Amino acid sequence: MTTVNELGFNENNTGYWAEIILPLALPTVYTYSIPAHLLHLAKTGYRAEVVFGKNKKYAGIIRSVINKKPGYKTKDIINILDDKPLLYPQQLQLWKWISEYYMCSEGEVMAAALPANFKLSSETILIYNEEIGEDFSHLNDEEFLVAEALLIRKQLQLTEVQQILDASHVYPVIKKLIDKNVCFIWEKLNERYKAKKENFVLLNPQLDNDDSLNQLLNDWKGAPKQMELLLSFLHLVKTEGEVTQSTLLKKSGATAAQLKGLADKNILLVEKRSIDRIKSLPKSININFELSEAQQKCLSELQKSLVEKNVCLLHGVTGSGKTQLYVKLIESYFNQGKQVLYLLPEIALTAQIIRRLQKHFGGNIAIYHSKFNDQERIELWNKIRSGEIKIVLGARSALFLPFTDLGFIIVDEEHDSSFKQHDPAPRYHARDAAIYYASLFNAKTLLGSATPSMESFFNAIHHKYALVTLSERYGGLLLPEIEIINTRQVAQKGKVMISPQLKEAMQQTLAADKQIILFQNRRGYNPYLICGTCGYIPQCTHCDVSLTLHKFSNKLHCHYCGSTYPKLVNCPACGTNNWLEKNFGTEKIEEQLEEDFSSYKIARMDIDSIKGKNAHDNLIQLFEQHRLDILVGTQMVVKGLDFDHVNLVGILDADGLLSFADFRVNERGFQLMEQVSGRAGRKNQRGKVMIQAVNVKHPVIEFVKQHNYIAFYEYELKGRKDFFYPPFSRIVLLTLKHKDKNVLDAAAEKLASLLRQSLHEYVDGPASPVVGRLRNLYLMNILLKLPKEPGMSAAYKKVIRNDINLLLSEKQFKSVDVIADVDPV
């Protein structure tokens, strides 16, 4: 770690400055002067308390200490908040790379990377203006009350002002007092993290020997209840070691008053200690399985490849035992004393895998994701920063953790779009950022998938990455048999939900005491309603999208902005009550299943049914334990879950997966269908998959039927090359937003014109997206398909930034919001 002393700075010299990242979307990093008394404390990666703007305080991160004065007057750092670095140089380098590559600010990266409690809160304080005197005759009653309190106290917090006025809305009063020079505002930073404390009970050290203890018990003259409590304590000490007050009182049936009595007699001591919020298992290693011959060969190839290349792609079919290979590789790096990061696309996947990895690595592995509260996140952050935690399993946010000696990163299900952050900035892709992050430690990265992304497989084929293939399922099981059901031929009114063929197969599967997964990538009851008389479709008033009927809430929901509306009885356009229900969501499927299979246990897994921190894991465990028979869900059921007894998978609407207006639609459709197919027949016998579709001749459905990824890749690659899409180009999607459509259209045309001056034929648009209005803002897109020329990426992005700034410098376009999304998915 670089310190001012190592840079040769004189601690008495005040002519040194710190570049400080603030958690704001600022176009540049600002520089602050370092006062002489803080010079020895100001180091890279430490938090500094600074004022930005008039008097707003922030906790920023020191990016570097410099001895060159900036070309503007600087403010002093107020204080250094840490006694050891919060971040190391590798994390700051990652922040800088993400901000440059994904076209955002380092402040936006900081806001995403740090747990909220590290960013501190700024508390508003009113300071009394001594120069105003004590004449408050010009104030009204409310102003007078606050001014009088300020005169006595000299400063007040906002909460105190609220108490004085007995009101929550006090800002108008404060504003008038500031305007009349009675007071001014100051901001105070509050440290929000507090260690969790618990009372521990100990025996007085003077009694901690057999003679003294026997004498105390034999000569006991105290209350019998206190004697019972003491004996319970002695028993717990022998059986559990350390004894907490809560455990002792619960197991002994005693009261806090009885414990206080023993403490007052100096027999027991009560001591408050900091404890971990997250309970961990004993640290042990137990790798107790044998690899198959195919797995052992694959492991050898992986080990060799990771020596030759920094990045390796493992293409292993579903159910091939990739997780066991990960365990072996993690063990290898753990034994070298290295830290390991295991990334999964969603929290949904972590619960099942963490249980499996904990069997092998015990308390050596920790889980990190957004469902943890801020206090828990800070505790994990500190343990990883100190090197205490060696193995971390987490979703994309785990990438920002302060590793000190990272040796290996696994990106499992690397194809998954959930690795991409959409809103807000930084809009980074965790897979690509992980590869860069690993390079900062000279660490290795393993990408794993049964259906790799086009870009990753392209890189592997062209030897940028190593490629290792595992084409055999564990235990020699065959990939599931796939049957395509042509729903055109089903004699059923409306869209077919469960065809007779699928229903019959479900009955046979349940009779054999096996489980079923049904996949439909639409939640709700009916994705949309239409008036059978006039064709009216209920739409969101804030967005240009149709509303989805949810039967559970009996309301119409917008899946884009979250607005809800009462269910319509009569059509507002023609007044009739002739609603037609179009398509079907998971809620409607669940209802139909409960009618058709009433004697079986059915559950639904989608964002509406999974609420709470442990709800998803609880449902997974019920299905694992065969306490559920049928699971219906959205893509949450697709991703990497492993169930022993699932023998039938039904894909209810393949056409819906292949009908989006997006160049990745075939890739996503293939990945989803192949992945959900892989949930069938993972143990003991071959499974079966039934795919319902109207367009049964679609090439992607044929590739899924054959489980032929290579044929799909070659087919899709030709189309990508013909239309200059990734992996042959790099895409930047510019989205413009404004409440006035005319202003937006003019801004989009202007920006496209500016961009064409430098980027010429690489500019497509402007064009309205499929959903042209969200949350009352109109949208326009400009698509940039840029060549992948070495060293040109930064130059292209500089042109884009400059043209955006030129647009926003014009008065009529200042209020237009322009969002750059690099490598959108």
Side-chain angles (χ1 to χ4, degrees):
M1 181 64 61
T2 302
T3 68
V4 290
N5 289 332
E6 288 168 353
L7 289 171
F9 294 167
N10 183 336
E11 294 190 7
N12 296 318
N13 191 336
T14 58
Y16 296 99
W17 294 264
E19 293 180 321
I20 294 181
I21 305 168
L22 298 174
L24 304 169
L26 301 171
T28 186
V29 172
Y30 284 83
T31 303
Y32 288 78
S33 53
I34 307 172
H37 69 282
L38 295 178
L39 196 55
H40 67 291
L41 299 173
K43 303 174 186 178
T44 300
Y46 285 60
R47 288 179 302 166
E49 182 180 348
V50 296
V51 173
F52 183 76
K54 288 185 178 179
N55 53 19
K56 186 77 173 174
K57 282 190 178 183
Y58 291 95
I61 294 287
I62 298 177
R63 186 174 76 175
S64 62
V65 176
I66 57 175
N67 59 359
K68 184 179 178 182
K69 185 177 181 179
Y72 53 86
K73 187 178 178 181
T74 58
K75 295 178 181 178
D76 278 357
I77 290 174
I78 298 170
N79 196 14
I80 301 298
L81 302 173
D82 301 306
D83 55 9
K84 51 189 170 186
L86 196 67
L87 299 161
Y88 299 112
Q90 291 92 338
Q91 285 85 53
L92 291 172
Q93 284 178 262
L94 175 66
W95 289 14
K96 192 170 190 297
W97 180 83
I98 287 177
S99 71
E100 290 173 351
Y101 185 85
Y102 292 102
M103 300 181 67
C104 62
S105 69
E106 287 182 74
E108 288 171 308
V109 182
M110 174 184 173
L114 289 185
N117 286 359
F118 277 141
K119 288 173 274 189
L120 305 189
S121 63
S122 183
E123 183 185 7
T124 301
I125 296 175
L126 297 186
I127 305 291
Y128 179 62
N129 183 2
E130 298 284 358
E131 297 176 4
I132 198 69
E134 299 180 14
D135 180 11
F136 300 146
S137 58
H138 60 298
L139 304 180
N140 66 28
D141 290 348
E142 288 185 327
E143 293 164 6
F144 179 83
L145 285 172
V146 177
E148 190 175 45
L150 278 169
L151 177 65
I152 298 167
R153 295 275 304 279
K154 304 307 178 189
Q155 65 179 47
L156 291 172
Q157 296 177 0
L158 271 185
T159 51
E160 293 173 319
V161 177
Q162 290 169 342
Q163 289 171 357
I164 290 167
L165 299 178
D166 194 23
S168 58
H169 193 60
V170 296
Y171 291 99
V173 176
I174 291 171
K175 185 178 183 302
K176 288 175 184 174
L177 288 171
I178 293 168
D179 292 343
K180 294 173 182 178
N181 291 322
V182 174
C183 64
F184 57 90
I185 282 181
W186 185 244
E187 299 286 335
K188 177 186 175 184
L189 285 185
N190 283 339
E191 182 69 75
R192 288 183 284 178
Y193 171 72
K194 289 186 174 70
K196 186 176 181 180
K197 304 279 189 178
E198 187 156 358
N199 287 334
F200 282 78
V201 182
L202 301 89
L203 186 65
N204 186 326
Q206 295 177 357
L207 300 173
D208 197 8
N209 60 77
D210 290 344
D211 292 340
S212 300
L213 197 55
N214 287 335
Q215 185 178 349
L216 173 69
L217 295 173
N218 292 332
D219 299 341
W220 186 263
K221 295 178 182 176
K225 288 287 185 183
Q226 289 183 352
M227 168 68 93
E228 290 177 21
L229 176 58
L230 179 58
L231 292 173
S232 293
F233 167 78
L234 295 172
H235 173 71
L236 283 170
V237 167
K238 284 189 176 180
T239 56
E240 298 186 15
E242 293 186 324
V243 179
T244 64
Q245 178 175 319
S246 56
T247 303
L248 176 59
L249 296 181
K250 183 178 179 181
K251 294 200 173 181
S252 66
T255 65
Q258 289 162 353
L259 176 60
K260 185 177 182 299
L262 289 176
D264 290 343
K265 293 176 180 176
N266 216 22
I267 297 170
L268 294 180
L269 308 177
V270 179
E271 182 180 281
K272 195 175 282 290
R273 295 183 192 170
S274 297
I275 61 166
D276 289 344
R277 286 178 167 83
I278 302 167
K279 303 298 181 187
S280 59
L281 299 172
K283 293 188 175 182
S284 60
I285 301 290
N286 180 27
I287 314 297
N288 57 356
F289 59 83
E290 295 295 326
L291 297 178
S292 68
E293 188 178 333
Q295 284 178 313
Q296 190 60 58
K297 182 185 175 188
C298 184
L299 179 62
S300 300
E301 291 179 19
L302 284 171
Q303 290 167 333
K304 182 184 176 185
S305 298
L306 288 168
V307 171
E308 297 170 353
K309 298 272 189 182
N310 288 327
V311 184
C312 178
L313 173 64
L314 171 59
H315 179 206
V317 298
T318 56
S320 58
K322 293 187 291 294
T323 304
Q324 290 177 316
L325 295 175
Y326 299 154
V327 168
K328 289 287 187 182
L329 290 167
I330 291 169
E331 180 190 23
S332 170
Y333 283 93
F334 179 83
N335 289 338
Q336 296 172 40
K338 297 287 186 180
Q339 289 177 306
V340 176
L341 173 59
Y342 188 142
L343 286 176
L344 285 161
E346 287 195 55
I347 301 165
L349 293 177
T350 56
Q352 191 179 42
I353 289 185
I354 191 72
R355 288 198 300 274
R356 295 180 179 184
L357 293 184
Q358 281 176 337
K359 289 179 184 177
H360 303 305
F361 297 105
N364 292 300
I365 190 166
I367 183 170
Y368 185 90
H369 56 59
S370 58
K371 285 285 177 88
F372 280 144
N373 65 44
D374 290 328
Q375 309 280 23
E376 291 169 335
R377 284 203 216 178
I378 284 185
E379 289 186 2
L380 275 175
W381 180 285
N382 289 332
K383 287 182 178 183
I384 292 159
R385 178 176 59 164
S386 68
E388 180 183 342
I389 294 290
K390 293 294 184 185
I391 307 166
V392 178
L393 174 70
R396 63 174 181 261
S397 59
L399 186 69
F400 293 112
L401 290 167
F403 292 95
T404 55
D405 192 14
L406 188 61
F408 189 44
I409 298 180
I410 296 168
V411 185
D412 197 10
E413 310 295 347
E414 65 83 29
H415 66 276
D416 199 291
S417 60
S418 299
F419 278 125
K420 172 74 170 172
Q421 163 80 8
H422 294 287
D423 279 309
R427 296 171 179 84
Y428 67 101
H429 198 299
R431 176 196 62 213
D432 301 335
I435 292 170
Y436 176 78
Y437 193 33
S439 73
L440 300 177
F441 292 90
N442 198 26
K444 304 294 183 177
T445 306
L446 178 62
L447 313 178
S449 177
T451 54
S453 66
M454 293 292 294
E455 291 88 341
S456 293
F457 202 74
F458 182 85
N459 285 335
I461 292 292
H462 289 81
H463 308 295
K464 184 177 180 180
Y465 304 161
L467 175 62
V468 176
T469 302
L470 182 57
S471 55
E472 179 184 304
R473 273 193 151 187
Y474 186 73
L477 288 174
L478 294 173
L479 286 164
E481 172 196 355
I482 294 187
E483 180 182 335
I484 310 298
I485 300 169
N486 188 341
T487 53
R488 282 186 196 274
Q489 299 172 357
V490 176
Q492 185 175 317
K493 186 180 177 182
K495 193 170 181 72
V496 176
M497 185 159 52
I498 298 175
S499 61
Q501 299 97 308
L502 177 57
K503 188 173 181 179
E504 183 183 349
M506 291 174 68
Q507 289 167 340
Q508 293 171 356
T509 302
L510 293 169
D513 198 29
K514 295 293 183 181
Q515 291 172 297
I516 299 167
I517 290 177
L518 297 182
F519 170 60
Q520 166 66 339
N521 212 26
R522 289 181 184 271
R523 59 192 177 97
Y525 190 78
N526 287 113
Y528 70 96
L529 302 174
I530 184 169
C531 176
T533 305
C534 71
Y536 171 82
I537 298 174
Q539 288 203 318
C540 178
T541 58
H542 310 296
C543 312
D544 287 344
V545 291
S546 58
L547 297 171
T548 299
L549 174 64
H550 284 242
K551 193 162 186 180
F552 177 77
S553 63
N554 200 32
K555 289 182 179 179
L556 296 168
H557 291 240
C558 175
H559 286 176
Y560 284 83
C561 71
S563 299
T564 58
Y565 303 82
K567 184 180 176 183
L568 295 173
V569 178
N570 297 319
C571 173
C574 68
T576 62
N577 183 7
N578 184 24
W579 293 110
L580 303 178
E581 297 177 347
K582 293 292 182 180
N583 216 321
F584 53 88
T586 50
E587 218 177 17
K588 189 171 184 178
I589 299 164
E590 182 184 30
E591 181 183 86
Q592 185 66 48
L593 291 172
E594 286 171 347
E595 187 178 311
D596 294 345
F597 299 94
S598 56
S599 59
Y600 294 95
K601 292 179 180 174
I602 299 157
R604 173 164 56 94
M605 185 190 291
D606 57 31
I607 198 169
D608 301 310
S609 63
I610 302 297
K611 304 288 185 185
K613 191 172 182 177
N614 300 311
H616 181 271
D617 189 27
N618 293 339
L619 182 56
I620 292 295
Q621 289 193 58
L622 287 173
F623 202 64
E624 276 181 325
Q625 295 160 9
H626 206 161
R627 291 160 67 186
L628 296 170
D629 301 299
I630 305 172
L631 182 64
V632 56
T634 57
Q635 58 183 314
M636 292 177 82
V637 303
V638 173
K639 303 179 178 184
L641 299 171
D642 188 1
F643 302 113
D644 291 355
H645 305 289
V646 173
N647 214 45
L648 176 65
V649 166
I651 298 172
L652 303 186
D653 182 20
D655 303 294
L657 300 174
L658 299 168
S659 58
F660 292 99
D662 189 289
F663 78 92
R664 296 186 193 273
V665 64
N666 287 343
E667 181 181 7
R668 285 194 188 130
F670 179 86
Q671 288 166 344
L672 279 169
M673 285 190 277
E674 184 64 21
Q675 288 284 343
V676 76
S677 299
R679 302 315 109 205
R682 296 174 76 96
K683 294 286 189 298
N684 303 324
Q685 68 181 88
R686 190 183 189 190
K688 187 171 186 177
V689 179
M690 304 184 84
I691 301 176
Q692 297 182 164
V694 172
N695 185 11
V696 294
K697 297 296 184 184
H698 196 293
V700 171
I701 292 179
E702 194 59 35
F703 295 135
V704 172
K705 184 177 180 180
Q706 299 166 5
H707 298 291
N708 195 336
Y709 173 82
I710 301 298
F712 162 76
Y713 169 80
E714 291 170 349
Y715 165 83
E716 183 66 10
L717 195 68
K718 184 179 183 304
R720 299 282 184 95
K721 188 173 184 180
D722 290 344
F723 294 98
F724 197 49
Y725 277 113
F728 299 99
S729 65
R730 177 164 282 117
I731 285 184
V732 178
L733 178 66
L734 301 179
T735 301
L736 291 82
K737 299 182 179 182
H738 199 270
K739 62 183 178 181
D740 187 318
K741 193 171 190 318
N742 293 327
V743 172
L744 178 70
D745 290 346
E749 289 292 347
K750 173 75 174 179
L751 181 56
S753 175
L754 288 169
L755 290 164
R756 283 194 179 94
Q757 293 174 21
S758 301
L759 302 178
H760 312 293
E761 71 276 12
Y762 303 136
V763 181
D764 283 351
S768 179
V770 175
V771 179
R773 185 172 62 102
L774 286 176
R775 298 179 177 89
N776 293 321
L777 294 175
Y778 291 96
L779 311 179
M780 289 292 280
N781 286 344
I782 298 172
L783 186 68
L784 307 175
K785 291 193 276 189
L786 306 173
K788 297 174 86 172
E789 299 171 7
M792 287 300 294
S793 177
Y796 289 134
K797 287 168 187 171
K798 185 177 180 182
V799 168
I800 297 166
R801 281 194 189 94
N802 288 342
D803 287 343
I804 291 172
N805 290 336
L806 274 174
L807 174 79
L808 299 180
S809 68
E810 297 191 23
K811 187 176 180 181
Q812 68 268 38
F813 300 136
K814 275 187 175 179
S815 56
V816 176
D817 192 13
V818 183
I819 294 168
D821 191 1
V822 180
D823 300 337
V825 298

